[in-house]
Every structure is written in structure tokens, then in C-alpha cells.
């Protein structure tokens, strides 16, 4: 089956507290085409995998890497 254009998007997010971490998870989990989410708290990175375009929703509090 064709899964569309699967891409890996890595975002640098200031994950300095649980509130920001929860907000990042909530915001990204609603993206259409998202297959998986992982967070690396030490490197402050949010990794998204799927047929997604997260830039429009996350631009105001993320820096693309």
C-alpha cells in the first residue's frame, strides 16, 4: 500500500518543563498523516515521522533543524 510521502521532521523545542512537553505532544499528535512522535529531552528535539507538514502549526514555538 502507498503510504504517501513519509518524511522525518526534527524540531528543536525548548522542553524546559512538562507543560511545554505536553503542549508539543498535543499539538503534533493532531497532525494529519503523522505516524510516530518521539521526544529527546536532553537534546530538546521533537522527531515526527509521517506524511506531514508541521511547519504551519509549530512555527511560533519551534526552530526547524
Amino acid at each position: 500500500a502507498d503510504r504517501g510521502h513519509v518524511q522525518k521532521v526534527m524540531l528543536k523545542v525548548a522542553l524546559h518543563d512538562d507543560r511545554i512537553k505536553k503542549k508539543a505532544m498535543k499539538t503534533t499528535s493532531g497532525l494529519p498523516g503523522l505516524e510516530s512522535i518521539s521526544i529527546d529531552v536532553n537534546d530538546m528535539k521533537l522527531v515526527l515521522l509521517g506524511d506531514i507538514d508541521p511547519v504551519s502549526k509549530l512555527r511560533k514555538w519551534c526552530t526547524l533543524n
Side-chain angles (χ1 to χ4, degrees):
D2 184 14
R3 292 176 21 182
H5 178 71
V6 176
Q7 62 181 346
K8 180 178 182 178
V9 177
M10 194 174 309
L11 303 164
K12 186 168 184 172
V13 183
L15 299 167
H16 54 270
D17 64 31
D18 284 340
R19 184 181 62 82
I20 297 296
K21 184 177 172 181
K22 287 178 185 178
K23 184 175 179 181
M25 291 295 286
K26 183 177 180 181
T27 301
T28 56
S29 65
L31 293 171
L34 182 68
E35 292 183 16
S36 71
I37 305 170
S38 64
I39 292 182
D40 183 340
V41 178
N42 293 330
D43 288 338
M44 293 193 180
K45 290 183 182 174
L46 179 69
V47 180
L48 310 173
L49 183 63
D51 183 11
I52 51 174
D53 179 18
V55 177
S56 60
K57 280 195 172 236
L58 304 175
R59 180 177 290 153
K60 63 185 167 191
W61 52 276
C62 297
T63 304
L64 289 175
N65 274 344

